[in-house]
Amino acid sequence: MIGVLGSAGRAHARLAALGSYVPPGVLTNADLERQVDTTDEWIVSRTGIRERHIAGPDQATSDLAILAAKNILSTAGVDPNEIDVLIVPTCTPDYLFPSVSAITASAIGAHRAAAFDIQAACSGFIYGLAQAVALVESGLAQKVLVVGAEVFSRVTNPQDRGTCILFGDAAAGALIVADEDHAASSGFVGFELGADGSMGDQLLIPVGGTRHPAAAGFHPDDAYLQMNGREVFKFATRVMEDSVLRLLDRLAMTIDEVDLLIPHQANQRIIDHAIGRLGIDPARVFGNLERYGNTSAASIPLALAEARDAGVLRPGMLVMMVGFGAGLTWAACLVRYEPT
Ligand code: COA
């Protein structure tokens, strides 16, 4: 990518296309009943999840990202060589390095693209959108692909009933384009992003980084995700509401002006809590948690793409997305959906 600041004049970023890839393998609650001491009734009543998709043994995160990226580009009718930047929000990369984005860019033929990953866990897609919008509206880039991709099944302990029931694998994302002819207001209205690292140990994978390198040896449990579910639950219910309200307050808007709310798909009780506190009509909230579980950085774009396919997300709608995740992080974004 080569970009010159301000060269695009008054460029505005537009959410031009959505797409996804979900691996075909399915892990149901009945399967989990045979794996750990749990029941379908417990999982559904505590989380709302009935099944999740699981990557095949030969599929790493980039394999999912590649297929999602191709899906987005074909939906938009855009050639991979037109992509200036490819951003992959993920916290389950193929390797510490190289990045999933670099592998994905090569594989899809995005040979002009700069490529980097974002590590903001389940908030990553919205963080990635903020980067894409900044690149486009500064004039540095004209077309940016943001593909959230995760293979959580590889980092979740199959014997830990507190976590193995929650997560699934998927990739999904969006194409953000520069729109020169756009009216004065941008398709993207605003972002609210945050992080509280003091709570980082509530949701982490201890081994594999520089604190506890894998080469130094480790207990197998420490190579898996570890979570204090109750603390993350409390954090999530607080930030989902606060983040949306802070953004609306800054924009001098109310929740009644939002056409569609797409919350991070982590737990139906967290989502229901946010719906109640925000006072938004549940008919204006879309989710698909029941069939995918928590797909982390892929969860919000996967829900967006399904909402579009279901005719729930329609051109011109004002959409609020909100999420939270490891870090701990949170993020909200308000955007008018204007597909190509
Ligand atoms: N099946 C049956 N029982 C289970 C279970 C399972 N899969 N998982 C936990 N339990 C048990 C616990 O051992 C505990 O038993 P005890 O009372 O005998 O000690 C009991 O259920 C209650 O555990 P608790 O952790 O308080 O349950 P909870 O209502 O908080 O639900 C989560 C657990 C994980 C579903 C919930 O805390 C949650 O969703 N947290 C947020 C996690 C999240 O979203 N993480 C991703 C962030 S992006």
Side-chain angles (χ1 to χ4, degrees), residues 45-106:
S45 64
R46 298 293 181 113
T47 72
I49 301 166
R50 292 183 189 278
E51 59 187 35
R52 347 69 206 112
H53 286 252
I54 302 295
D58 298 333
Q59 285 182 308
T61 303
S62 63
D63 298 310
L64 276 54
I66 289 162
L67 294 171
K70 287 181 176 174
N71 182 246
I72 300 163
L73 292 179
S74 71
T75 301
V78 165
D79 187 274
N81 262 315
E82 294 177 49
I83 299 302
D84 297 302
V85 185
L86 173 57
I87 303 173
V88 174
T90 184
C91 56
T92 54
D94 297 23
Y95 311 104
L96 275 181
F97 57 85
S99 64
V100 176
S101 50
I103 297 167
T104 303
S106 276

Side-chain angles (χ1 to χ4, degrees), residues 37-38 42 46-47 122 161-162 165-167 203 227 229-230 232-233 264 266-267 269-270 294 324-325:
D37 181 15
T38 191
W42 194 97
R46 298 293 181 113
T47 72
C122 308
R161 66 178 184 173
I165 59 162
L166 295 174
F167 297 95
L203 178 51
M227 180 178 73
R230 282 180 208 188
V232 175
F233 192 96
H264 170 43
N267 182 316
R269 287 189 295 146
I270 295 172
N294 181 348
F324 62 92

Side-chain angles (χ1 to χ4, degrees), residues 302-328:
L302 185 61
L304 280 169
E306 281 209 358
R308 173 204 58 195
D309 294 345
V312 174
L313 171 61
R314 296 183 295 278
M317 277 185 156
L318 200 52
V319 182
M320 178 72 81
M321 313 168 209
V322 61
F324 62 92
L328 299 176

Side-chain angles (χ1 to χ4, degrees), residues 266-328:
N267 182 316
Q268 194 58 45
R269 287 189 295 146
I270 295 172
I271 295 169
D272 290 343
H273 185 271
I275 291 172
R277 297 296 291 262
L278 290 169
I280 186 168
D281 178 355
R284 288 192 284 129
V285 181
F286 185 85
N288 55 12
L289 174 71
E290 190 179 57
R291 284 174 291 117
Y292 299 107
N294 181 348
T295 59
S296 190
S299 122
I300 289 175
L302 185 61
L304 280 169
E306 281 209 358
R308 173 204 58 195
D309 294 345
V312 174
L313 171 61
R314 296 183 295 278
M317 277 185 156
L318 200 52
V319 182
M320 178 72 81
M321 313 168 209
V322 61
F324 62 92
L328 299 176

Side-chain angles (χ1 to χ4, degrees), residues 207-209 212-218:
V207 160
H212 299 294
F218 55 90

